[in-house]
Amino acid sequence: MADLLLRLIGEDNVSGAFDTAGGALKSFAREFLEFSKDCVKAYREQERADRQLQRVAGELTDTFKAQASAMQEELGVSDDMVQGIQTMLLNFVDAPDQVEATTRAILDYSAATGEDATSATRTLLSSVATGRVAFRDLGLQYETTSRKSETLRNITAALAGKFGGAAAIEADSLAGQA
């Protein structure tokens, strides 16, 4: 019988593909983990905003949450941020009827000037509390009174008069839609 000699010469064309797939899988796993962490963080922030609003709004909490959601849909702003502004306003003055108008005025101011809405709310409330003229550099004209809620109403009207609709315009822009 004849000896049979068989020589196999092979090429490894598969290892590179497995290395690439393995790297892609690791990258996907890292991104998925970061996404999961971001989701948990967002959930915690939403819970915190809900608890704080509940503490100051009481039975009106659902109304304010619906208001924040509507502003998020209409203006493309974070409902957590809106709830934070609502909470600050309700902590400051017992006038729930002023919250929506003041929040909208602050969001319009923020959209027009680029200033952070939460910081603008702090500036506004600090000015009302101390009797200083808020946003003097903008040339706002309003009457200050001994009643904080009335002064807040006057500042809100002045802000709305100067910047009214700026947040809606920003939301309709290409950057706002993105």
Side-chain angles (χ1 to χ4, degrees):
M1 264 205 194
D3 288 332
L4 182 60
L5 178 61
L6 182 61
R7 278 183 102 179
L8 293 175
I9 301 176
E11 288 184 30
D12 182 5
N13 291 327
V14 181
S15 294
F18 281 122
D19 289 343
T20 302
L25 187 58
K26 285 179 185 177
S27 178
F28 172 77
R30 273 193 304 271
E31 291 298 320
F32 183 74
L33 183 61
E34 284 302 313
F35 174 74
S36 298
K37 286 179 184 178
D38 290 344
C39 287
V40 169
K41 181 180 175 187
Y43 180 76
R44 284 182 182 158
E45 288 172 2
Q46 182 66 52
E47 272 191 326
R48 183 174 180 264
D50 288 348
R51 281 192 313 272
Q52 289 179 337
L53 185 61
Q54 173 69 42
R55 181 182 53 78
V56 295
E59 62 189 38
L60 295 175
T61 300
D62 290 338
T63 302
F64 285 113
K65 286 173 77 171
Q67 194 178 87
S69 293
M71 288 181 188
Q72 180 180 28
E73 288 294 317
E74 177 187 348
L75 305 174
V77 295
S78 163
D79 62 340
D80 293 347
M81 180 200 52
V82 172
Q83 285 182 348
I85 292 170
Q86 292 169 329
T87 300
M88 283 190 280
L89 292 171
L90 289 168
N91 272 324
F92 181 76
V93 64
D94 187 26
D97 60 318
Q98 291 185 29
V99 171
E100 181 177 11
T102 303
T103 301
R104 285 189 179 277
I106 289 289
L107 293 174
D108 286 336
Y109 165 78
S110 176
T113 63
E115 185 177 338
D116 174 58
T118 304
S119 298
T121 304
R122 285 188 192 104
T123 300
L124 172 76
L125 296 178
S126 172
S127 296
V128 173
T130 62
R132 290 188 338 250
V133 176
F135 311 113
R136 179 184 305 241
D137 55 327
L138 301 173
L140 289 184
Q141 300 291 320
Y142 59 88
E143 181 183 345
T144 57
T145 69
S146 60
R147 295 186 57 217
K148 292 178 183 178
S149 61
E150 193 173 323
T151 299
L152 182 63
R153 188 175 289 115
N154 294 342
I155 295 172
T156 298
L159 283 172
K162 184 155 185 139
F163 300 110
I169 291 168
E170 181 64 25
D172 286 339
S173 72
L174 180 61
Q177 291 176 7

